[in-house]
Amino acid sequence: MKPITFLFSLLLTIPFFSTAQVREKLLMDKSWKFHFGDASDTKNDFNYNINYNLSKAGSAGGVISEKFNDADWRTLDLPHDWAVEQDFVNMKDEGLQDHGFKAVGGQFPKTSIGWYRKTFMVPVTDSGKKMNIHFDGVFRNCTVFLNGHYLGNNFSGYSEFCLDVTDYINFHKKNTLVVRVDASQYEGWFYEGPGIYRHVWLEKYAPFHIAEYGTFVTTTMKDSTATIAVETKVENNTTGRISGSLQYRIYDKEGNKVTGTIVDGVGAVNGDFKKIQYQFKIPNPNVWSLENPYCYKLVTLLKQNDVVTDSTATTFGIRTITVDPVKGLALNGKPIKIYGVCCHQDHAGVGSALPDAMQYYRIKLLKEMGVNAYRTSHNPPTPELLQACDELGMLVLDENRMIGTSTEYMSQFERLILRDRNHPSVFMWSIGNEEGWIHGTDVGKRLASTLIERLKELDPSRTCTYAADNGPNRKGINEVIPVRGFNYRIPKIDEYHAAYPTQPVLGSEVGSTVCTRGVYATDTINGYVIDEDSTHPYWSSTAEEWWKPNADKDWFMGGFVWTGFDYRGEPTPYGWPCINSHFGIMDMCGFPKNIYYYYQSWWSNKDVLRITPHWNGWKTGDSVKVWIYSNADEVELKLNGKSLGKKIMERNGHLEWKVKYAPGKLEAFGKRGTKKIYAKVETTGAPYQIVLTPDRTTIKADDKDVCVMNVTVTDNKGREVPDAMDNINFTAEGNIKIIGVGNGNPSSHEPDKFFDNNWQRKLFNGKCQVIIQSTATAGDSKFTASGSGLQPAVILLHSN
């Protein structure tokens, strides 16, 4: 287990600091044991349901016992998604199809229960401290035991939970943590990676401490001065009354102290809380924005008799969000339009168990396209996703899993708000998505009203929306929701706005063009759709159909396209052999489809000129529809030097030509103001040379960091071959390991994982991807890609 060290490096400069009592947060991801159970056979589920596991304290036996022999179980590190490791199953079943044809769910009892065991030591010097085990996310219904004692259950696969283990810890021998994960019941209608697929932490802190979720920071601006309002909740778990003090320090991005204070008389009786509020003024602050996502850090020290007993560090940003029914959305007083995407949480090669660096990789890809907002569809995200958005400058619509006010669902909602309310990237909450059975009813209205009121108590600084797919209808949730969210039915927004002009309007889910990267003919056998902005399901629209008529409406806040990336499951418009969606603007690997360049043309300031299709595989004389995605004012197209004419680009549009195919070079010449833009596609030769493109060549030697290696091939003239389908083999030598492969093919049944280390993947229309992870050892490593008849490629990676 590795401690989080950033806070300690700050605190060592503070007088009276004592390490003896300060909070620790230790990562528990390493060296777990794993074995499948069985939802239908008690014997194969380690007799879990017939042992006396709940009869006496500490009496749990069998697999839960500290004495159980798990030597033949698989050893693995977290995060872990066991579905991505399974074969695909071809069976006609809607739930199976929606979840990507993986053998998980009620029909697959032998691969829907997972058992995890971990042993760890706690030094006797920690006796007297409070201790929690914190799970960031386990899919789905899990039961947790420690040292033979039942600790608790967690219902949702997307909500974090924390269990107090103070009284159950062993100090003189190993502790045994056991988690039974039951994924036999789906929670969503999309791919859901079962297992402990997010981080697990051991937290240690003093009995007199800052409560969980106990720090809340809000900011306001007046003229050139920021007001930082801090609320701290202190908890006393000692046997009597304690009085102490709070010391606050705010640091800028460079680690310089900006301001601070000491609040005395902070006390609470045994088992009680004390809430402290304080305000700071910061003149001429650096504000958090999309272009400059500047973050400050609030360090809070709780002291007793001048000795620090607890400490927390809270990242925050100074920014102002304004939502107006006439003017739309503004950030720091500047009107902005939401250039947003909805995203699920899985990625090629790793399923839902993304290493932290993958969150940053994906957000960077979206920003490169021009995206400025991310909707966490349809559940609370992993904390690292929000950290990436804070640091890189991406607004977040943070979504609750399901509308409900029962004890369970209210708890999930509260945990979401309390966990995420300090993130500057979170600009609005979504209380739910497409609750078609209740959103037009009085029940739906009452449920929403209760959630909205609770939200105002927990976070009065933000408003909320609901992602409603019910067109111009008002009855029910839409009557009480502050911001009207439209899922599709975008032609009805003018009608709704005219009828209810005081309610702001947001495109909570829009678009839904379906397309397959690099495919230019519909293929119903393989389940491929043409890679242009031309095909969509009946309920949705193309990119141009939703964006072009609404881009300049001030009152329309913009929208979130379904989806930023392809995801496993929901293989619309086809079923088997297709196993993932076609909705993505990028595929499962993050390789752009052609629609990417439509959005980049109109959502970014880049000079964009994209010719499609590629110029391979056509027959001489074929009539080829050529699309141009660009923000140029005009474009001229030439084939083998002969002009095919000039066309004026309509704002928020695209251009088309019908071209009689001849092999050679198709060129586009664009003018954007005084700038000249150029693009070309060429008829290439056969694949010859493998080309490796890493997102970076230096990674941290921490056993967690990753390099994303993108693989292409060129012909003997160095031209990328866009339709190559060669099989590529991979080897990693040194202090790195391969953890997943993919290629964006929505109908590929190739494995994402190779436990025999025989790593390989076919190119799909010229591309595939390898995810490479560091070990804990620093040094140089070598990655090699080879293929039959191809020149190999080698790249050196450094970890430090």
Side-chain angles (χ1 to χ4, degrees), residues 442-510:
D442 288 337
V443 170
K445 181 179 178 180
R446 292 197 302 270
L447 291 171
S449 296
T450 299
L451 292 175
I452 292 167
E453 289 308 305
R454 184 61 176 139
L455 173 60
K456 290 176 182 178
E457 296 171 357
L458 298 177
D459 180 17
S461 69
R462 294 176 180 87
T463 189
C464 64
T465 188
Y466 162 69
D469 183 14
N470 60 352
N473 296 316
R474 171 80 166 176
K475 180 176 170 54
I477 293 177
N478 291 337
E479 295 178 70
V480 295
I481 200 72
V483 176
R484 171 65 209 275
F486 264 81
N487 280 19
Y488 311 110
R489 325 300 172 186
I490 294 301
K492 298 293 185 179
I493 63 172
D494 291 282
E495 175 187 337
Y496 189 89
H497 177 64
Y500 310 104
T502 61
Q503 187 179 29
V505 176
L506 166 70
S508 45
E509 191 170 311
V510 295

Side-chain angles (χ1 to χ4, degrees), residues 3-61:
I4 304 302
T5 56
F6 173 81
L7 179 57
F8 302 144
S9 66
L10 280 176
L11 296 180
L12 286 172
T13 64
I14 300 173
F16 310 114
F17 170 71
S18 167
T19 59
Q21 290 292 316
V22 172
R23 179 182 297 259
E24 293 180 90
K25 186 176 183 180
L26 307 176
L27 190 61
M28 298 183 72
D29 285 358
K30 299 297 293 180
S31 301
W32 288 72
K33 291 289 190 174
F34 174 78
H35 202 289
F36 280 119
D38 194 320
S40 64
D41 187 322
T42 298
K43 182 178 179 181
N44 289 333
D45 201 27
F46 303 100
N47 294 319
Y48 172 67
N49 286 319
I50 60 176
N51 284 342
Y52 284 103
N53 294 320
L54 304 175
S55 59
K56 297 287 185 178
S59 67

Side-chain angles (χ1 to χ4, degrees), residues 170-321:
N170 294 325
F171 294 103
H172 298 286
K173 63 178 182 177
K174 288 182 179 179
N175 293 274
T176 302
L177 179 63
V178 181
V179 184
R180 183 181 186 266
V181 182
D182 184 350
S184 57
Q185 173 67 56
Y186 299 138
E187 191 169 354
W189 54 97
F190 39 83
Y191 178 82
E192 298 179 294
I196 308 178
Y197 73 100
R198 294 178 182 173
H199 295 309
V200 179
W201 308 87
L202 175 62
E203 298 176 318
K204 307 176 185 179
Y205 50 93
F208 184 48
H209 60 271
I210 299 164
E212 184 181 22
Y213 313 122
T215 302
F216 181 31
V217 181
T218 58
T219 67
T220 55
M221 283 285 293
K222 185 175 182 180
D223 299 326
S224 60
T225 299
T227 299
I228 317 300
V230 178
E231 179 181 290
T232 306
K233 199 173 183 180
V234 173
E235 184 175 7
N236 178 12
N237 290 137
T238 68
T239 57
R241 179 177 179 82
I242 286 185
S243 183
S245 63
L246 278 175
Q247 182 173 357
Y248 294 115
R249 287 193 175 188
I250 293 178
Y251 294 86
D252 64 18
K253 195 174 184 178
E254 292 73 35
N256 303 308
K257 181 186 173 185
V258 177
T259 186
T261 193
I262 296 176
V263 179
D264 293 316
V266 177
V269 298
N270 175 38
D272 201 2
F273 294 90
K274 174 74 172 182
K275 187 182 292 185
I276 297 90
Q277 295 177 323
Y278 195 85
Q279 290 190 351
F280 298 92
K281 301 288 186 181
I282 300 180
N284 302 309
N286 289 295
V287 297
W288 187 94
S289 67
L290 301 173
E291 301 76 22
N292 180 32
Y294 196 96
C295 290
Y296 291 85
K297 192 169 291 286
L298 169 70
V299 173
T300 305
L301 304 179
L302 179 61
K303 292 183 176 183
Q304 183 184 4
N305 298 324
D306 285 332
V307 175
V308 176
T309 64
D310 198 9
S311 57
T312 60
T314 305
T315 299
F316 70 96
I318 299 171
R319 89 287 185 271
T320 303
I321 299 290

Side-chain angles (χ1 to χ4, degrees), residues 292-452:
N292 180 32
Y294 196 96
C295 290
Y296 291 85
K297 192 169 291 286
L298 169 70
V299 173
T300 305
L301 304 179
L302 179 61
K303 292 183 176 183
Q304 183 184 4
N305 298 324
D306 285 332
V307 175
V308 176
T309 64
D310 198 9
S311 57
T312 60
T314 305
T315 299
F316 70 96
I318 299 171
R319 89 287 185 271
T320 303
I321 299 290
T322 306
V323 176
D324 187 272
V326 177
K327 299 178 181 179
L329 180 68
L331 174 60
N332 301 323
K334 178 183 176 181
I336 62 168
K337 192 73 74 175
I338 292 174
Y339 303 148
V341 291
C342 306
C343 291
H344 285 310
Q345 59 182 4
D346 57 310
H347 191 91
V350 293
S352 295
L354 274 68
D356 296 350
M358 290 298 299
Q359 307 293 348
Y360 288 79
Y361 179 76
R362 286 161 62 93
I363 296 301
K364 287 176 182 177
L365 290 178
L366 292 171
K367 283 188 68 74
E368 184 71 16
M369 186 178 80
V371 171
N372 64 13
Y374 183 110
R375 177 181 170 217
T376 67
S377 310
H378 302 290
N379 48 261
T382 187
E384 291 74 29
L385 183 278
L386 296 182
Q387 292 168 15
C389 292
D390 288 346
E391 295 174 22
L392 298 175
M394 178 74 70
L395 294 173
V396 175
L397 178 60
D398 206 348
E399 188 153 276
N400 182 41
R401 172 62 204 92
M402 191 165 79
I403 288 180
T405 58
S406 65
T407 300
E408 172 61 36
Y409 285 114
M410 183 59 80
S411 172
Q412 291 181 27
F413 183 69
E414 290 172 344
R415 279 177 275 166
L416 168 67
I417 306 304
L418 291 169
R419 185 195 69 170
D420 295 351
R421 61 185 179 173
N422 288 317
H423 286 280
S425 57
V426 176
F427 80 105
M428 188 180 296
W429 306 102
S430 169
I431 67 168
N433 171 74
E434 293 184 1
E435 299 283 6
W437 279 261
I438 56 99
H439 64 191
T441 69
D442 288 337
V443 170
K445 181 179 178 180
R446 292 197 302 270
L447 291 171
S449 296
T450 299
L451 292 175
I452 292 167

